[in-house]
Amino acid sequence: MTETGTGTEAEAALGTDWRAWQDSWDRQQQWYLPDREERFRIMLDMVEAVVGTAPRVLDLACGTGSITDRLLKRFPDATSVGVDLDPALLTIAEGTFAGDDRVTFVTADLKDPGWTAALPHDSYDAVLTATALHWLFSEPLATLYGQVATVVRDGGVFMNADHMPDPATPRINAAESAHRHRQMDRAKAEGVLDWKEWWQLAAKDPVLAEPTAKRFEIYGEHADGDMPSAEWHARALREAGFAEARPVWASPSDAVILGLK
């Protein structure tokens, strides 16, 4: 686990309600993604369909461990390795799953060509990621897909759930975006925390303040990726070595892309 210091900091960590932080992160994400649970359900449906109910899973760019949380609730015999670089979200993840020997967390930079060397296993039945890889531009994302292909076993599965707009439909995209933001504005008026406000709370927490400061040193304020279409993702996965790849779920703005090794 991430070290939290000594004395007052360590005592504060012992009293931290990690599940409350996990839940507050989920609520904040749900504000942006009202169908977030639906995409998780489809991902786990496809995990079960392809590799069964006791998979070894790599939770890629795991954040607080939202995928791992849902994975283990649905498949108690599964195991999960979460990998991320964000020290604040990893602190929450490690606190939430402390004592669960089904879960391991690894700190690694997915932009580092050697990041797979930090993983505890050579291969995984499933690699899952959600709302994370849009931080990468297309070229490094294609490179990452090639690296992911090396750790998915033959017959295994990779899924990425993320924002994947279709550039060929600008009017549809604009209408969907306007509608979604009106819904978000109504929820915001009812007191929902947005991304910035959530991080402001984390920065004031005695345990999370230091890892939050480190997190912003690493990432800055905003994502810098270019969010290619679902068709691009499927093509990139096939070029990376997956035998089959296509969307298995879609909303008006997002998709889950599945690659079968």
Side-chain angles (χ1 to χ4, degrees), residues 4 12 14 19 24 28 40 46 49 101 112 118 157 168 176 229 261:
T4 55
L14 289 173
R19 174 53 64 178
S24 72
Q28 176 258 127
F40 287 150
M46 295 309 299
D101 60 9
D112 181 345
V157 65
E176 181 281 326
S229 68
K261 186 74 180 293

Side-chain angles (χ1 to χ4, degrees), residues 1-18 91 95 205-208:
M1 288 183 58
T2 302
E3 294 182 3
T4 55
T6 58
T8 302
E9 287 185 3
E11 292 168 6
L14 289 173
T16 298
D17 187 343
W18 295 115
T91 297
D205 184 84
V207 176
L208 291 176

Side-chain angles (χ1 to χ4, degrees), residues 11-56:
E11 292 168 6
L14 289 173
T16 298
D17 187 343
W18 295 115
R19 174 53 64 178
W21 276 108
Q22 176 80 246
D23 291 345
S24 72
W25 175 261
D26 281 340
R27 287 193 300 272
Q28 176 258 127
Q29 290 288 288
Q30 188 77 18
W31 179 62
Y32 293 98
L33 305 163
D35 48 26
R36 187 168 180 252
E37 294 303 323
E38 176 71 6
R39 71 191 68 197
F40 287 150
R41 183 185 68 80
I42 293 297
M43 292 177 84
L44 296 182
D45 280 352
M46 295 309 299
V47 167
E48 182 174 1
V50 179
V51 297
T53 60
R56 175 191 290 168

Side-chain angles (χ1 to χ4, degrees), residues 192-243:
V192 173
L193 292 179
D194 63 22
W195 189 88
K196 183 177 181 179
E197 291 166 334
W198 190 92
W199 281 109
Q200 288 172 343
L201 282 181
K204 295 176 183 177
D205 184 84
V207 176
L208 291 176
E210 183 177 348
T212 295
K214 291 179 180 177
R215 180 247 182 257
F216 281 95
E217 289 176 8
I218 294 169
Y219 292 106
E221 293 285 343
H222 300 289
D224 59 0
D226 51 9
M227 300 186 190
S229 68
E231 289 75 13
W232 180 94
H233 285 272
R235 183 174 64 253
L237 286 171
R238 289 191 293 268
E239 292 172 351
F242 287 87

Side-chain angles (χ1 to χ4, degrees), residues 138-220:
S138 299
E139 185 175 346
L141 180 54
T143 298
L144 178 66
Y145 281 170
Q147 295 165 332
V148 168
T150 68
V151 298
V152 177
R153 68 163 173 83
D154 288 345
V157 65
F158 167 75
M159 278 179 276
N160 178 16
D162 214 334
H163 187 52
M164 300 180 187
D166 187 341
T169 59
R171 293 167 59 199
I172 295 173
N173 297 348
E176 181 281 326
S177 179
H179 175 69
R180 177 164 38 89
H181 280 89
R182 285 193 296 270
Q183 291 179 312
M184 291 170 66
D185 288 344
R186 287 193 291 269
K188 191 73 172 65
E190 296 172 358
V192 173
L193 292 179
D194 63 22
W195 189 88
K196 183 177 181 179
E197 291 166 334
W198 190 92
W199 281 109
Q200 288 172 343
L201 282 181
K204 295 176 183 177
D205 184 84
V207 176
L208 291 176
E210 183 177 348
T212 295
K214 291 179 180 177
R215 180 247 182 257
F216 281 95
E217 289 176 8
I218 294 169
Y219 292 106

Side-chain angles (χ1 to χ4, degrees), residues 58-59 61-62 80-86 90 94 103-110 115-121 124:
L58 178 62
D59 187 350
C62 64
S80 179
V81 175
V83 59
D84 209 307
L85 185 62
D86 188 315
L90 279 174
E94 291 167 337
V103 185
T104 304
F105 291 102
V106 174
T107 299
D109 185 353
L110 299 182
W115 68 270
T116 59
L119 301 177
H121 309 291
Y124 296 82

